[in-house]
Amino acid sequence: MIKSVDLTKVFRTEEVETTALNKVSFEIKEGEFVAIMGPSGCGKSTLLNILGLLDNPSGGEYVFLEQEVSNYSEKQRANLRKKNIGFVFQNFNLIDELSVFENIELPLIYLGFSASERKKRVEEVLEQMQIMHRKNHFPLQLSGGQQQRVAVCRAVVAKPHIILADEPTGNLDSTHGDEVMNLLETLNKNGTTIIMVTHSQRDASYAQRVIRLFDGQIVTEDKATEFVLSSTTQ
Amino acid sequence: MLTHYLKTTLKQFSKSPSFSFINLFGLATAMAVCLIIFLYVYRELSFDRFHEQAENIYRISLHADMQGEELYENVSSPAMGPDLVEAFPEILDYARMSGRQTLSIWQENSFITVEKTHYADSTFFEFFSFELLRGNPHTALVEPYSVVVTETLAQKLFPDQDPMGKPIRLDDDTRKYTITGIAADCPPNSHIQFELLRSFETLIVNRQGVFTEWDANLSYHNYVKLLNDTDLDDLLKKTEELTYEKVNYKFEGMGVKITFGYFPLTDIRLRSPFGNELEEAGTLWKVWVFSLVALFVLFIAGFNYVNLTIARSGKRAKEVGMRKVLGAHKKALKKQFYLETLFLTGISFLGALILAEIFLPFFNQLLNTNLQLLNIPWWGLLLSVIIFVGVFGLLASIYPAWYMASFHPVKILKGEFWSKPGRFQPRNLLLLIQFAVSLALIVCTLVVFLQIRFFQQKEHGFNEKNLLVVRTESREDARIFMNAMESFAWIEKQSISTTFPGGPSYMEGIVAENVEPGFMAHRLWVDEHFMQTLELNLLEGRNFERADGLENENALVNQALVRQAGWTEPLGKTIERGGRTYSVIGVIEDYHFQSLHQEIEPLLVNTIDSRPDFMSTPYWVQVRYKETGSPDVLLSVQEKWEALFTGNTLRHYFISDHLHLQYATERSFGRLFQAFTLLAIIIAMLGVLGLSSFAAQQRQKETGIRKVMGASTSSILFRMSGEFLKWVMVGAIIALPLAYWYMDKWLSGFAYAIDFPYWTMLAALSGVLALALVIVTTQSMQSARANPADVLKTE
């Protein structure tokens, strides 16, 4: 489903050149739950942005759904993104002026769904996530856990192939964090591919595989359970 | 999708009402100003175009070259119309109209004064397209003593009665006139404005003047209608030949030449160069100035809108970023912002209609017009909607839409979306222009104000207070009137003269003793009380002791005449004029017998009885009344006048009012500047508001870091204000020299003017600086006071 070969990202300013990703190669199959881990500044978010088609790499190949997309224009990337990828962010990134319903509805608007179809889909997902009673509330009226639940609803409403989650529990307490992780796990069990950037070993334990980055390079690529095991034995 | 956009727009509006209000107010004000200017320009351009074949109608103009002295007039002899039609087949028709006359219409024991009356040809209502509501347009003005009145006047004269066929009496004319037609009130966009028209035939049967000579009776407006596609150059050539046969052959060898021209009817309002038009004319410059103001205002308002929107875009970055993450194309986002702007401009337009209605009375007073919003034609309204809402909305939204749609989602999620500060950007240039215009206008307004105040306060050399002048038609009438007035205890002094200060003036060439060649001097004939009545100063010699034959060979002169003649001992010197020799018996201290626009020129004063009889100009009685204890002077004078000269309209001026009127142009100029200045300041300050709030947001991170490093709130405010004040200073460097150059030139057009007041520049600069400082400080305060921890966390 996703294949990266020697993926490189270099940020240039007038005087400094920073290599955020240095020839990163890996593959992710459909239905996998992969966690990307590493210390701050190791290039996790940069990798996630490229995988999420928010940014282009400076070099290497990126094959997404069997298309080489590393040189796609912004428009091409947006088209591919809206049909296939759902995003969950650490700080939820809900639009404060829109209600829960309207926030979730947003991806469907850009996909050109009719109003009745949008209503049906949004209500379906609200039921599924058990937050139907909050549909007319605004983000600032909700708790962090509820906001992230809405963000997950928004990520899945268009039934994407992949969900990219950037520290999805980073702003939540452990109870709400577990709730969100369970949601992602359920989604994965139902066939959605999940790629998650995290600092938390606990969250990473939900994943089937962990890609570990350091200074823009992959240092290990393990089964999540083995990783957890080895880290506990140390 | 559309519903979603509208919903988002409304939410944006309600989310920040103050921002929305500033934006709405700025746009609505600019649109209101433009709407009013559109109304004005439309009215000016439509002048006299309602006449059928207006483009084929011309008015005869006269140009006389008299030994190098040029004379341009819009009047000509009544003989011309008929002669031209007879001579040239391309001239199809003519209509003549006399100059304007004020008349009294008598009704039993009272009278109504009607100011706009003319004699008009019988063809008047066929020639022009003035609507005749009652009566026959072909015959209404055929018979002598027939009269057409306007609907309003008819209503005043005969309320609830049919005025047709009713007799009326005009002034002291013993003959009765008959109303033969009721015309609709003249459209306001007509240079011809009448309330009453008397048939031309009345003039002819009364033998009032000569109607056959081209060089006599030069006080009529001759309008002619030309055949389509007439070659005007050819017609002018033929007219010149005819003029030679009719007039110019008489002047051969005398250095005098008369030329007649054809001035287009539709150009009279906008381009008339003649000073004696009955209504305001030559307004093309105003049309230009106002059109430019409209464009400028619209441009600046659009620019301010863009600034304010960009300033706020930081608040919307997350929304834009998420929309992009969720798959929104740039195009979709742009569409959203266009729609938001269109919605805003639409609401602003509605606001503009309301504001225009509120502003209109002020503009009407300023421009002396009667503009009404309802007069806007349907296509004008449609055009306004298209321009203000559509085109303007679209143009104003292009940059913000492009700017916001270009936010990079990754950068937004990282909190980096501002453009780099510090670069010279177009918005700074535009801010500079706004400051420069405001500063220049403030200086101009202050200078105009000071010059008007100077006029009002300047001593005229005589006492203009409590001085009334009354026009009489003969010396005898003047004396009868003065005798009758003696009965009033509040009369202080009275005198007769042939003109009054600020009144019409008459110049002749004189030859002063020992001076070659002669020079021009103003002539004035007065009685022995003239100097005391006006409270003039006699510098040497004596005043006339009487106004009869014994003093007829004596003269008083002013200092300017003495200077011009170069006399050191003027008393006893002689002055020759028209075969008579006058001996100077006294010198009057210079006084302003003309307006302050002109320098004091030589003045020769003689006794009233020595005035040649062939001169038919009126005699003015000057009445000095007591300050205290005077009842309603005018009412008493009026009663006395009516008792003496029943049927004749009292024509009078209070000198102080009359002098005040002479500076009407300057006052109107001043009011115009005031209005534009106010507008420029409002617009510039809205611009400052937009940019300073933009800068405050843009520099939040910088401010936070500075505070962490120990900067105080005041030092941050100082730093932020400095950025703006810099532009005010650059604006001043550009604007102030220009304002100085222009106003100094304007002042040099007056014979008596103030020196350029340099402090006005300092005042304008301080004012603008202070205002900008207040706005920038209030906008920056929030950012400067914010807790750096909060700011940096957000970042």
Side-chain angles (χ1 to χ4, degrees):
Chain A
M1 182 174 224
I2 280 178
K3 190 181 170 190
S4 92
V5 182
D6 292 341
L7 210 57
T8 304
K9 181 73 182 178
V10 180
F11 292 107
R12 288 186 183 90
T13 59
E14 278 169 23
E15 290 169 6
V16 191
E17 198 176 276
T18 315
T19 306
L21 291 176
N22 190 0
K23 298 192 172 178
V24 173
S25 304
F26 61 89
E27 200 171 340
I28 294 171
K29 296 209 164 49
E30 194 162 356
E32 265 196 294
F33 189 154
V34 177
I36 300 171
M37 292 192 78
S40 290
C42 71
K44 302 185 298 284
S45 293
T46 308
L47 180 62
L48 200 72
N49 288 337
I50 293 173
L51 297 182
L53 301 172
L54 292 173
D55 208 353
N56 274 340
S58 315
E61 275 178 36
Y62 175 32
V63 180
F64 180 80
L65 294 177
E66 291 165 17
Q67 298 173 59
E68 161 57 44
V69 297
S70 55
N71 292 317
Y72 267 28
S73 68
E74 194 188 327
K75 193 174 172 183
Q76 286 171 309
R77 281 188 274 127
N79 275 335
L80 210 53
R81 190 164 67 225
K82 69 182 171 190
K83 283 181 199 146
N84 300 296
I85 307 175
F87 287 88
V88 179
F89 296 96
Q90 178 179 358
N91 56 358
F92 328 130
N93 278 333
L94 296 174
I95 298 175
D96 297 337
E97 295 78 35
L98 302 184
S99 67
V100 165
F101 183 96
E102 289 163 342
N103 262 292
I104 300 173
E105 185 192 27
L106 216 49
L108 303 178
I109 287 176
Y110 293 118
L111 282 167
F113 281 75
S114 69
S116 59
E117 181 68 12
R118 291 202 301 263
K119 189 167 183 279
K120 200 178 128 210
R121 288 253 198 145
V122 173
E123 285 180 350
E124 224 171 72
V125 77
L126 281 169
E127 286 284 2
Q128 219 177 337
M129 303 284 178
Q130 296 165 4
I131 45 165
M132 191 57 154
H133 59 294
R134 295 287 194 192
K135 77 169 186 179
N136 292 324
H137 285 72
F138 286 90
L140 296 177
Q141 297 171 310
L142 305 178
S143 71
Q146 286 168 329
Q147 286 192 49
Q148 195 59 302
R149 199 182 273 251
V150 175
V152 174
C153 287
R154 184 179 63 186
V156 301
V157 72
K159 298 185 177 156
H161 288 93
I162 301 179
I163 287 182
L164 296 182
D166 191 356
E167 302 268 10
T169 63
N171 277 3
L172 302 176
D173 60 33
S174 60
T175 320
H176 286 116
D178 284 347
E179 245 177 49
V180 170
M181 287 314 298
N182 287 332
L183 274 176
L184 292 177
E185 193 178 34
T186 315
L187 287 169
N188 177 246
K189 279 181 181 155
N190 292 335
T192 312
T193 310
I194 294 181
I195 303 174
M196 174 177 72
V197 162
T198 182
H199 272 110
S200 155
Q201 291 170 349
R202 186 191 178 94
D203 289 355
S205 67
Y206 286 84
Q208 295 143 8
R209 191 153 62 102
V210 174
I211 296 173
R212 216 170 160 214
L213 290 178
F214 187 77
D215 278 353
Q217 286 180 308
I218 294 179
V219 286
T220 55
E221 211 177 323
D222 303 311
K223 291 272 185 213
T225 43
E226 285 167 15
F227 173 79
V228 171
L229 193 64
S230 66
S231 59
T232 26
T233 49
Q234 272 174 0
Chain B
M1 189 85 92
L2 201 68
T3 341
H4 171 75
Y5 287 157
L6 275 176
K7 236 194 259 176
T8 316
T9 306
L10 285 174
K11 284 186 177 174
Q12 283 301 329
F13 265 62
S14 53
K15 194 183 163 197
S16 26
S18 58
F19 166 80
S20 308
F21 177 76
I22 290 176
N23 245 341
L24 264 174
F25 180 71
L27 289 179
T29 307
M31 286 182 193
V33 169
C34 291
L35 268 177
I36 292 172
I37 291 179
F38 171 78
L39 271 175
Y40 174 75
V41 170
Y42 172 68
R43 173 184 185 263
E44 293 301 304
L45 296 182
S46 71
F47 252 80
D48 297 318
R49 289 184 189 273
F50 61 90
H51 296 293
E52 250 179 74
Q53 296 186 44
E55 67 286 357
N56 289 338
I57 299 177
Y58 293 80
R59 188 179 62 188
I60 306 294
S61 58
L62 179 152
H63 170 216
D65 182 348
M66 296 176 292
Q67 294 167 321
E69 206 173 312
E70 310 245 349
L71 181 76
Y72 291 92
E73 290 289 347
N74 57 11
V75 284
S76 46
S77 148
M80 285 195 73
D83 285 354
L84 288 172
V85 169
E86 199 186 314
F88 307 127
E90 59 268 56
I91 299 185
L92 300 173
D93 202 357
Y94 69 90
R96 292 166 298 178
M97 216 176 80
S98 69
R100 185 175 285 176
Q101 208 179 335
T102 302
L103 288 177
S104 301
I105 302 181
W106 284 91
Q107 290 182 302
E108 294 182 7
N109 295 323
S110 64
F111 65 86
I112 292 177
T113 304
V114 186
E115 287 182 354
K116 297 171 179 177
T117 81
H118 299 267
Y119 286 98
D121 252 325
S122 58
T123 52
F124 188 82
F125 286 100
E126 295 162 82
F127 189 94
F128 292 113
S129 303
F130 292 107
E131 199 183 346
L132 196 64
L133 302 170
R134 305 276 308 275
N136 186 336
H138 308 294
T139 57
L141 289 173
V142 167
E143 295 299 320
Y145 299 103
S146 52
V147 158
V148 171
V149 292
T150 58
E151 209 179 355
T152 306
L153 183 59
Q155 188 62 34
K156 246 196 257 178
L157 289 171
F158 303 101
D160 312 317
Q161 285 181 56
D162 182 2
M164 286 295 285
K166 284 258 168 15
I168 52 169
R169 205 150 65 77
L170 302 174
D171 261 10
D172 59 343
D173 201 329
T174 49
R175 297 287 298 261
K176 284 198 171 158
Y177 288 79
T178 310
I179 296 181
T180 51
I182 313 292
D185 290 345
C186 292
N189 58 348
S190 167
H191 88 279
I192 299 175
Q193 293 288 332
F194 63 85
E195 294 170 275
L196 182 148
L197 295 175
R198 289 191 267 184
S199 66
F200 216 78
E201 202 54 30
T202 314
L203 278 176
I204 294 168
V205 296
N206 281 340
R207 297 202 178 90
Q208 286 183 0
V210 181
F211 294 92
T212 48
E213 302 299 322
W214 280 33
D215 55 348
N217 222 350
L218 300 175
S219 54
Y220 290 85
H221 295 288
N222 276 285
Y223 296 91
V224 291
K225 201 175 274 178
L226 305 187
L227 203 62
N228 265 340
D229 304 323
T230 297
D231 182 345
L232 212 55
D233 289 337
D234 182 52
L235 182 63
L236 279 170
K237 220 173 124 196
K238 290 197 287 188
T239 308
E240 199 181 336
E241 286 162 15
L242 189 62
T243 309
Y244 179 81
E245 287 169 30
K246 296 276 187 188
V247 198
N248 283 337
Y249 74 93
K250 298 180 196 171
F251 303 130
E252 218 158 8
M254 293 167 71
V256 174
K257 191 187 174 193
I258 291 177
T259 319
F260 292 102
Y262 297 86
F263 199 84
L265 175 76
T266 50
D267 274 359
I268 291 175
R269 173 69 175 190
L270 294 171
R271 295 187 174 87
S272 168
F274 308 107
N276 56 344
E277 294 291 353
L278 296 174
E279 301 292 327
E280 188 190 6
T283 58
L284 190 64
W285 71 273
K286 278 193 189 173
V287 168
W288 273 111
V289 168
F290 281 111
S291 304
L292 287 174
V293 166
L295 270 181
F296 176 74
V297 164
L298 209 56
F299 170 71
I300 296 293
F303 160 70
N304 284 341
Y305 167 78
V306 170
N307 263 343
L308 279 167
T309 310
I310 299 280
R312 253 192 62 80
S313 63
K315 294 217 157 101
R316 299 191 65 180
K318 189 171 99 176
E319 177 203 331
V320 175
M322 264 331 286
R323 284 182 189 275
K324 283 194 133 183
V325 168
L326 296 174
H329 293 160
K330 266 189 184 175
K331 207 169 144 188
L333 286 169
K334 281 182 189 167
K335 211 191 282 175
Q336 179 187 338
F337 295 126
Y338 289 149
L339 210 75
E340 277 181 23
T341 311
L342 288 187
F343 183 74
L344 187 85
T345 46
I347 304 257
S348 302
F349 186 72
L350 294 178
L353 291 175
I354 297 168
L355 283 180
E357 194 62 41
I358 297 171
F359 292 161
L360 261 175
F362 172 72
F363 267 77
N364 279 332
Q365 201 191 358
L366 190 75
L367 301 171
N368 200 18
T369 51
N370 186 22
L371 303 175
Q372 282 171 357
L373 213 51
L374 288 173
N375 291 350
I376 203 165
W378 68 267
W379 59 264
L381 198 65
L382 187 71
L383 194 73
S384 309
V385 173
I386 293 173
I387 291 176
F388 295 143
V389 181
V391 178
F392 176 76
L394 209 64
L395 287 176
S397 63
I398 284 176
Y399 182 63
W402 171 83
Y403 181 83
M404 288 201 265
S406 308
F407 284 167
H408 197 288
V410 174
K411 284 189 177 168
I412 291 169
L413 298 175
K414 281 188 190 166
E416 306 166 355
F417 54 88
W418 294 112
S419 57
K420 297 267 182 297
R423 270 183 301 162
F424 182 82
Q425 287 165 327
R427 55 174 161 264
N428 289 334
L429 176 69
L430 288 163
L431 190 70
L432 176 70
I433 295 173
Q434 293 187 37
F435 281 139
V437 170
S438 305
L439 283 166
L441 283 174
I442 294 173
V443 172
C444 295
T445 307
L446 286 173
V447 173
V448 172
F449 169 78
L450 290 169
Q451 175 64 19
I452 293 170
R453 204 183 58 169
F454 170 76
F455 272 163
Q456 280 164 349
Q457 291 177 349
K458 186 167 177 5
E459 295 286 328
H460 281 79
F462 65 94
N463 183 2
E464 70 263 30
K465 283 182 199 139
N466 304 330
L467 193 59
L468 173 79
V469 291
V470 174
R471 177 184 161 135
T472 62
E473 298 308 319
S474 67
R475 248 175 299 205
E476 291 64 41
D477 282 357
R479 284 185 175 133
I480 292 168
F481 177 71
M482 281 167 68
N483 285 337
M485 292 288 289
E486 288 294 337
S487 61
F488 291 122
W490 44 263
I491 292 277
E492 207 170 276
K493 204 91 202 164
Q494 295 183 89
S495 71
I496 315 175
S497 67
T498 48
T499 185
F500 56 92
S505 139
Y506 177 70
M507 279 183 103
E508 280 182 339
I510 59 164
V511 179
E513 191 178 326
N514 302 335
V515 182
E516 277 296 331
F519 54 87
M520 299 296 282
H522 292 265
R523 300 289 312 264
L524 179 64
W525 289 269
V526 302
D527 67 4
E528 66 273 32
H529 306 296
F530 176 76
M531 288 200 50
Q532 291 95 318
T533 310
L534 252 67
E535 297 180 14
L536 298 174
N537 285 333
L538 188 70
L539 291 176
E540 51 184 309
R542 64 170 180 91
N543 184 14
F544 298 125
E545 279 161 6
R546 46 206 300 160
D548 61 18
L550 292 172
E551 294 267 31
N552 281 359
E553 304 303 320
N554 291 335
L556 296 169
V557 294
N558 69 350
Q559 289 173 284
L561 191 143
V562 175
R563 273 196 304 276
Q564 176 90 38
W567 291 334
T568 46
E569 286 180 11
L571 296 184
K573 290 275 188 312
T574 58
I575 293 170
E576 282 176 45
R577 167 67 211 172
R580 297 173 77 162
T581 306
Y582 304 100
S583 170
V584 175
I585 57 161
V587 178
I588 309 168
E589 189 180 8
D590 276 346
Y591 75 99
H592 290 277
F593 53 89
Q594 291 176 285
S595 83
L596 292 175
H597 298 96
Q598 279 124 341
E599 258 184 273
I600 298 176
E601 290 168 329
L603 176 69
L604 171 62
V605 186
N606 296 101
T607 55
I608 196 89
D609 283 9
S610 66
R611 186 192 200 193
D613 286 333
F614 63 84
M615 295 179 77
S616 59
T617 43
Y619 291 82
W620 295 87
V621 174
Q622 323 196 13
V623 180
R624 162 89 56 205
Y625 53 91
K626 286 177 184 151
E627 172 92 50
T628 48
S630 304
D632 190 334
V633 171
L634 189 58
L635 200 74
S636 312
V637 171
Q638 198 129 28
E639 277 170 12
K640 193 64 84 185
W641 179 269
E642 273 159 34
L644 293 171
F645 310 109
T646 313
N648 275 324
T649 312
L650 171 74
R651 293 184 178 97
H652 70 279
Y653 297 106
F654 283 99
I655 290 292
S656 53
D657 293 351
H658 187 70
L659 292 176
H660 192 66
L661 275 177
Q662 293 190 318
Y663 311 119
T665 313
E666 284 74 34
R667 272 197 301 277
S668 136
F669 194 53
R671 281 201 301 267
L672 208 63
F673 265 117
Q674 273 170 30
F676 288 159
T677 306
L678 194 67
L679 199 64
I681 293 175
I682 291 176
I683 290 171
M685 292 309 144
L686 274 177
V688 174
L689 188 68
L691 276 188
S692 55
S693 91
F694 176 58
Q697 288 201 28
Q698 199 179 21
R699 299 180 135 201
Q700 256 182 356
K701 186 176 167 187
E702 178 196 326
T703 310
I705 295 169
R706 281 182 191 278
K707 285 196 92 173
V708 170
M709 300 297 140
S712 64
T713 304
S714 55
S715 73
I716 287 170
L717 284 179
F718 186 72
R719 199 180 166 78
M720 288 181 137
S721 314
E723 282 292 310
F724 284 88
L725 304 189
K726 182 175 79 188
W727 295 115
V728 179
M729 296 311 284
V730 180
I733 291 170
I734 299 169
L736 296 181
L738 281 175
Y740 167 76
W741 171 77
Y742 181 70
M743 289 323 286
D744 201 46
K745 210 172 106 180
W746 182 72
L747 288 173
S748 68
F750 296 95
Y752 300 91
I754 50 171
D755 290 330
F756 183 87
Y758 289 98
W759 63 265
T760 54
M761 295 189 175
L762 200 65
L765 184 60
S766 326
V768 171
L769 273 177
L771 214 51
L773 199 66
V774 169
I775 294 174
V776 176
T777 311
T778 42
Q779 285 301 303
S780 314
M781 192 64 92
Q782 207 184 355
S783 161
R785 273 190 179 164
N787 182 349
D790 293 337
V791 176
L792 297 175
K793 194 169 78 188
T794 321
E795 287 287 332

